[in-house]
Amino acid sequence: MNVKKTDLVGVLLIEPDRFGDHRGFFAEAYNQRLYVGLGIHANFVQDNHSLSASVGTLRGLHFQVSPHAQAKLVRCGRGAIFDVAVDIRRGSPTYGQWTGCKLSAANGVQMFIPAGFAHGFVTLQPDSEIVYKCSDYYAPETEGALRWDDPTIGIIWPLQGDPILSSKDVVAPSLVDLDSPFIFEG
Protein backbone atom coordinates (compact mmCIF):
# COMPACT_ATOMS: atom_id res chain seq x y z
CA MET A 1 0.00 0.00 0.00
CA ASN A 2 1.28 3.42 -0.96
CA VAL A 3 0.23 6.35 1.27
CA LYS A 4 0.86 10.05 0.63
CA LYS A 5 0.14 12.93 2.96
CA THR A 6 -1.31 16.06 1.40
CA ASP A 7 -0.71 19.68 2.35
CA LEU A 8 -3.89 19.48 4.47
CA VAL A 9 -3.26 17.73 7.78
CA GLY A 10 -5.36 14.57 7.98
CA VAL A 11 -6.18 14.26 4.27
CA LEU A 12 -4.43 11.20 2.83
CA LEU A 13 -4.07 9.66 -0.61
CA ILE A 14 -4.03 5.88 -0.38
CA GLU A 15 -3.19 3.45 -3.15
CA PRO A 16 -4.04 -0.11 -2.09
CA ASP A 17 -1.91 -2.91 -3.50
CA ARG A 18 -3.36 -4.55 -6.60
CA PHE A 19 -2.68 -8.09 -7.66
CA GLY A 20 -3.40 -8.74 -11.30
CA ASP A 21 -3.17 -11.30 -14.05
CA HIS A 22 -4.80 -11.96 -17.42
CA ARG A 23 -8.27 -11.94 -15.75
CA GLY A 24 -7.98 -8.49 -14.16
CA PHE A 25 -6.98 -7.54 -10.61
CA PHE A 26 -7.81 -7.96 -6.93
CA ALA A 27 -7.36 -5.27 -4.27
CA GLU A 28 -8.49 -4.81 -0.69
CA ALA A 29 -10.47 -1.57 -0.89
CA TYR A 30 -10.60 -1.33 2.90
CA ASN A 31 -9.05 -3.22 5.80
CA GLN A 32 -9.74 -1.70 9.21
CA ARG A 33 -6.49 -2.97 10.77
CA LEU A 34 -4.37 -1.48 8.00
CA TYR A 35 -6.22 1.84 7.98
CA VAL A 36 -6.01 2.18 11.77
CA GLY A 37 -2.27 1.68 11.30
CA LEU A 38 -2.35 4.73 9.01
CA GLY A 39 -4.01 6.77 11.76
CA ILE A 40 -7.53 6.47 10.33
CA HIS A 41 -9.73 5.68 13.32
CA ALA A 42 -13.04 6.45 11.62
CA ASN A 43 -15.80 3.96 12.31
CA PHE A 44 -17.40 3.70 8.87
CA VAL A 45 -21.16 3.09 9.12
CA GLN A 46 -22.47 3.83 5.61
CA ASP A 47 -21.30 3.16 2.07
CA ASN A 48 -22.52 5.40 -0.77
CA HIS A 49 -22.39 4.75 -4.50
CA SER A 50 -22.94 7.56 -6.99
CA LEU A 51 -23.12 7.51 -10.79
CA SER A 52 -22.55 10.65 -12.83
CA ALA A 53 -23.43 10.08 -16.48
CA SER A 54 -21.82 13.15 -18.08
CA VAL A 55 -18.30 14.53 -18.09
CA GLY A 56 -18.22 17.81 -16.17
CA THR A 57 -20.76 16.79 -13.53
CA LEU A 58 -19.65 18.62 -10.39
CA ARG A 59 -20.91 17.63 -6.95
CA GLY A 60 -19.91 19.71 -3.96
CA LEU A 61 -18.54 21.19 -1.93
CA HIS A 62 -20.49 19.33 0.77
CA PHE A 63 -20.13 18.52 4.47
CA GLN A 64 -22.20 17.55 7.51
CA VAL A 65 -21.84 19.19 10.92
CA SER A 66 -22.03 17.75 14.42
CA PRO A 67 -23.62 15.61 15.68
CA HIS A 68 -23.40 13.90 12.27
CA ALA A 69 -20.07 15.16 10.92
CA GLN A 70 -18.58 12.69 8.47
CA ALA A 71 -15.14 11.45 7.58
CA LYS A 72 -15.10 9.94 4.08
CA LEU A 73 -12.98 7.39 2.24
CA VAL A 74 -13.56 8.07 -1.46
CA ARG A 75 -12.64 5.98 -4.49
CA CYS A 76 -13.71 5.75 -8.11
CA GLY A 77 -15.11 2.38 -9.18
CA ARG A 78 -15.54 3.23 -12.86
CA GLY A 79 -14.33 6.15 -14.95
CA ALA A 80 -12.41 9.03 -13.39
CA ILE A 81 -12.99 12.05 -11.17
CA PHE A 82 -11.03 14.98 -9.81
CA ASP A 83 -11.66 14.77 -6.06
CA VAL A 84 -11.27 17.79 -3.75
CA ALA A 85 -11.11 18.45 0.00
CA VAL A 86 -11.28 21.96 1.52
CA ASP A 87 -10.19 22.65 5.10
CA ILE A 88 -13.04 24.38 6.99
CA ARG A 89 -11.66 23.95 10.53
CA ARG A 90 -11.47 27.33 12.30
CA GLY A 91 -7.97 28.00 13.61
CA SER A 92 -6.33 25.64 11.12
CA PRO A 93 -3.16 26.94 9.46
CA THR A 94 -4.65 25.67 6.18
CA TYR A 95 -8.20 27.02 6.67
CA GLY A 96 -9.82 27.65 3.29
CA GLN A 97 -7.11 25.79 1.39
CA TRP A 98 -7.81 22.83 -0.87
CA THR A 99 -6.16 19.73 -2.21
CA GLY A 100 -7.22 17.68 -5.19
CA CYS A 101 -6.32 14.43 -6.89
CA LYS A 102 -7.43 12.33 -9.84
CA LEU A 103 -9.16 9.18 -8.62
CA SER A 104 -9.93 6.58 -11.26
CA ALA A 105 -10.83 2.96 -11.70
CA ALA A 106 -7.48 2.58 -13.44
CA ASN A 107 -5.26 4.09 -10.71
CA GLY A 108 -7.17 2.75 -7.68
CA VAL A 109 -6.21 5.77 -5.55
CA GLN A 110 -8.46 6.68 -2.62
CA MET A 111 -8.76 9.95 -0.72
CA PHE A 112 -9.39 9.94 3.03
CA ILE A 113 -11.13 13.13 4.13
CA PRO A 114 -11.61 13.68 7.88
CA ALA A 115 -14.58 15.51 9.39
CA GLY A 116 -13.96 19.25 9.23
CA PHE A 117 -13.45 19.34 5.48
CA ALA A 118 -15.81 20.11 2.62
CA HIS A 119 -15.74 17.55 -0.19
CA GLY A 120 -16.50 17.72 -3.88
CA PHE A 121 -15.59 16.20 -7.22
CA VAL A 122 -15.99 16.65 -10.94
CA THR A 123 -16.27 13.80 -13.43
CA LEU A 124 -13.53 13.43 -16.03
CA GLN A 125 -15.07 10.50 -17.92
CA PRO A 126 -18.65 9.55 -18.78
CA ASP A 127 -20.52 7.16 -16.50
CA SER A 128 -18.13 7.64 -13.59
CA GLU A 129 -19.03 5.77 -10.41
CA ILE A 130 -17.92 7.06 -7.04
CA VAL A 131 -17.95 4.74 -4.04
CA TYR A 132 -17.29 6.13 -0.59
CA LYS A 133 -17.47 5.17 3.05
CA CYS A 134 -18.87 7.60 5.65
CA SER A 135 -18.26 7.67 9.39
CA ASP A 136 -21.81 8.83 10.16
CA TYR A 137 -25.21 8.42 8.60
CA TYR A 138 -26.67 10.87 6.11
CA ALA A 139 -28.54 13.53 8.08
CA PRO A 140 -29.98 16.24 5.79
CA GLU A 141 -30.65 18.59 8.72
CA THR A 142 -26.86 18.83 9.28
CA GLU A 143 -25.87 19.37 5.64
CA GLY A 144 -23.73 22.27 4.58
CA ALA A 145 -22.28 23.38 1.28
CA LEU A 146 -19.84 25.89 -0.17
CA ARG A 147 -19.66 27.37 -3.66
CA TRP A 148 -17.65 25.20 -6.00
CA ASP A 149 -16.18 28.32 -7.66
CA ASP A 150 -15.53 30.44 -4.54
CA PRO A 151 -12.59 32.71 -5.48
CA THR A 152 -11.47 32.78 -1.84
CA ILE A 153 -10.79 29.04 -2.05
CA GLY A 154 -9.58 29.15 -5.68
CA ILE A 155 -9.99 25.52 -6.71
CA ILE A 156 -8.56 24.86 -10.15
CA TRP A 157 -11.14 22.45 -11.54
CA PRO A 158 -10.17 20.55 -14.73
CA LEU A 159 -13.28 21.72 -16.59
CA GLN A 160 -13.90 22.40 -20.23
CA GLY A 161 -16.94 24.64 -20.21
CA ASP A 162 -19.56 25.08 -17.53
CA PRO A 163 -20.09 22.28 -15.01
CA ILE A 164 -23.33 20.36 -14.56
CA LEU A 165 -24.60 21.34 -11.09
CA SER A 166 -27.50 20.56 -8.79
CA SER A 167 -29.82 23.42 -7.87
CA LYS A 168 -28.42 23.23 -4.31
CA ASP A 169 -24.84 23.67 -5.53
CA VAL A 170 -25.77 26.65 -7.73
CA VAL A 171 -26.86 28.66 -4.66
CA ALA A 172 -24.29 27.42 -2.12
CA PRO A 173 -22.73 30.20 -0.01
CA SER A 174 -19.14 31.39 -0.07
CA LEU A 175 -16.50 30.55 2.53
CA VAL A 176 -16.62 34.11 3.93
CA ASP A 177 -20.28 33.50 4.83
CA LEU A 178 -19.54 30.24 6.65
CA ASP A 179 -19.61 30.25 10.45
CA SER A 180 -17.78 26.95 10.62
CA PRO A 181 -18.59 24.74 13.61
CA PHE A 182 -15.37 22.79 13.07
CA ILE A 183 -12.32 23.69 15.16
CA PHE A 184 -8.75 22.70 14.40
CA GLU A 185 -7.32 20.52 17.15
CA GLY A 186 -3.68 20.61 16.05
Side-chain angles (χ1 to χ4, degrees):
M1 177 180 315
N2 185 18
V3 180
K4 295 179 186 169
K5 293 181 179 180
T6 68
D7 292 339
L8 305 182
V9 174
V11 178
L12 300 174
L13 300 177
I14 303 162
E15 185 178 357
D17 294 329
R18 285 188 173 186
F19 305 94
D21 60 23
H22 65 282
R23 301 166 297 168
F25 71 86
F26 170 84
E28 275 187 350
Y30 177 73
N31 178 313
Q32 186 179 36
R33 265 192 314 251
L34 292 175
Y35 282 63
V36 166
L38 299 175
I40 298 173
H41 298 280
N43 179 30
F44 294 114
V45 298
Q46 180 175 312
D47 282 5
N48 296 334
H49 186 151
S50 165
L51 169 72
S52 294
S54 300
V55 172
T57 300
L58 196 149
R59 299 179 189 256
L61 302 161
H62 303 152
F63 56 92
Q64 283 189 185
V65 300
S66 185
H68 298 289
Q70 294 178 323
K72 296 177 181 176
L73 181 63
V74 183
R75 64 187 177 92
C76 185
R78 179 169 62 161
I81 65 171
F82 183 70
D83 204 44
V84 171
V86 178
D87 188 347
I88 56 172
R89 301 167 298 166
R90 286 185 290 131
S92 169
T94 57
Y95 180 82
Q97 294 180 25
W98 66 278
T99 190
C101 178
K102 180 180 178 180
L103 308 182
S104 69
N107 71 19
V109 174
Q110 303 173 349
M111 184 182 287
F112 173 72
I113 305 163
F117 290 80
H119 170 249
F121 64 86
V122 66
T123 55
L124 304 175
Q125 294 179 7
D127 297 319
S128 290
E129 294 187 20
I130 298 81
V131 182
Y132 58 103
K133 296 184 159 313
C134 298
S135 65
D136 207 321
Y137 300 103
Y138 174 64
E141 69 278 8
T142 67
E143 277 186 305
L146 293 173
R147 285 195 61 83
W148 67 276
D149 61 349
D150 185 332
T152 304
I153 300 169
I155 298 170
I156 301 169
W157 296 99
L159 285 165
Q160 295 182 12
D162 293 331
I164 301 166
L165 300 167
S166 71
S167 56
K168 176 176 80 173
D169 290 340
V170 168
V171 298
S174 297
L175 182 65
V176 295
D177 298 320
L178 176 67
D179 183 14
S180 179
F182 299 105
I183 299 174
F184 179 69
E185 296 178 7

